[in-house]
Amino acid sequence: MSEALPEPQNPASADVTEFPDRPKRARVFKKGKMVFQNGLRSIPCMVRNISDGGAMLEFETAFILPKEFDLHIDLEDFEVTCERRWEKGLRCGVMFIGEKRYSSAQRAQVLKTSEEALKQEVDDRQETVDGFFSRRRSGDTRRTVEYPQPARPARPSGGKPGFGKRR
């Protein structure tokens, strides 16, 4: 009476053979922009991960997203046509359906220490015509031109004191 039990089938092994492995995605945090309707409309986004075949985008607010659009990434020098594959909350997954096209970089990524960035910001705010602040930091001891102050006329003494003056 020994009955042979059929071996349980592993459904996970069947799924693995049906779907090809997707390329490994690199985690990034880059500012991007979805451009659609022939460049007339755009939606800002953050690229959270990217691979050769697609990316995951994250938005600050909810938008009605188009099915196809061009994706521009600020710190990269390409743009690519994408198709929206899934959407969940403020995130969506896209698949690249076109070839990557070269475009000029919107801006260059420049990494500075916080001290260098702060010095640059102070320079931008306090730059003068004669360059006093930049010379002072660099150690230049050159004398600056001092302009004479106009002499103020003396106030007559006696009578009522001026506004806000104490007696």
Side-chain angles (χ1 to χ4, degrees):
M1 301 258 329
S2 82
E3 292 183 29
L5 296 174
E7 291 185 26
Q9 294 183 353
N10 187 357
S13 64
D15 291 341
V16 171
T17 58
E18 291 178 20
F19 300 110
D21 291 335
R22 92 173 177 192
K24 186 91 172 152
R25 291 191 173 183
R27 294 173 66 183
V28 294
F29 190 68
K30 295 183 178 182
K31 187 176 178 183
K33 181 171 39 173
M34 295 174 64
V35 180
F36 53 99
Q37 291 185 354
N38 296 323
L40 294 175
R41 304 223 185 267
S42 65
I43 299 174
C45 62
M46 293 301 294
V47 180
R48 298 307 305 246
N49 63 35
I50 192 167
S51 70
D52 290 335
M56 182 175 69
L57 309 178
E58 186 174 279
F59 303 92
E60 289 183 7
T61 59
F63 294 100
I64 298 176
L65 303 175
K67 184 72 174 162
E68 285 188 16
F69 56 90
D70 289 336
L71 177 64
H72 299 264
I73 302 174
D74 278 358
L75 297 176
E76 301 290 333
D77 57 350
F78 70 88
E79 60 186 24
V80 64
T81 304
C82 300
E83 178 182 334
R84 179 175 38 94
R85 301 296 287 184
W86 59 266
E87 195 174 344
K88 184 175 182 181
L90 297 177
R91 292 184 175 191
C92 81
V94 298
M95 181 175 75
F96 300 152
I97 58 173
E99 293 294 319
K100 292 180 180 179
R101 300 178 299 277
Y102 175 78
S103 66
S104 62
Q106 299 292 327
R107 63 184 175 95
Q109 182 177 16
V110 179
L111 300 177
K112 297 180 184 178
T113 64
S114 57
E115 290 177 4
E116 290 172 343
L118 183 59
K119 286 179 184 177
Q120 181 65 36
E121 185 176 328
V122 169
D123 278 348
D124 291 344
R125 291 184 181 183
Q126 296 182 348
E127 191 61 38
T128 58
V129 177
D130 62 351
F132 172 76
F133 290 103
S134 59
R135 282 198 315 270
R136 187 171 175 196
R137 188 185 318 76
S138 67
D140 189 359
T141 58
R142 197 169 42 158
R143 302 260 317 153
T144 59
V145 177
E146 294 188 25
Y147 299 102
Q149 296 292 327
R152 292 185 178 180
R155 292 191 178 189
S157 60
K160 292 185 178 181
F163 179 75
K165 295 261 186 171
R166 289 187 170 182
R167 290 191 153 189

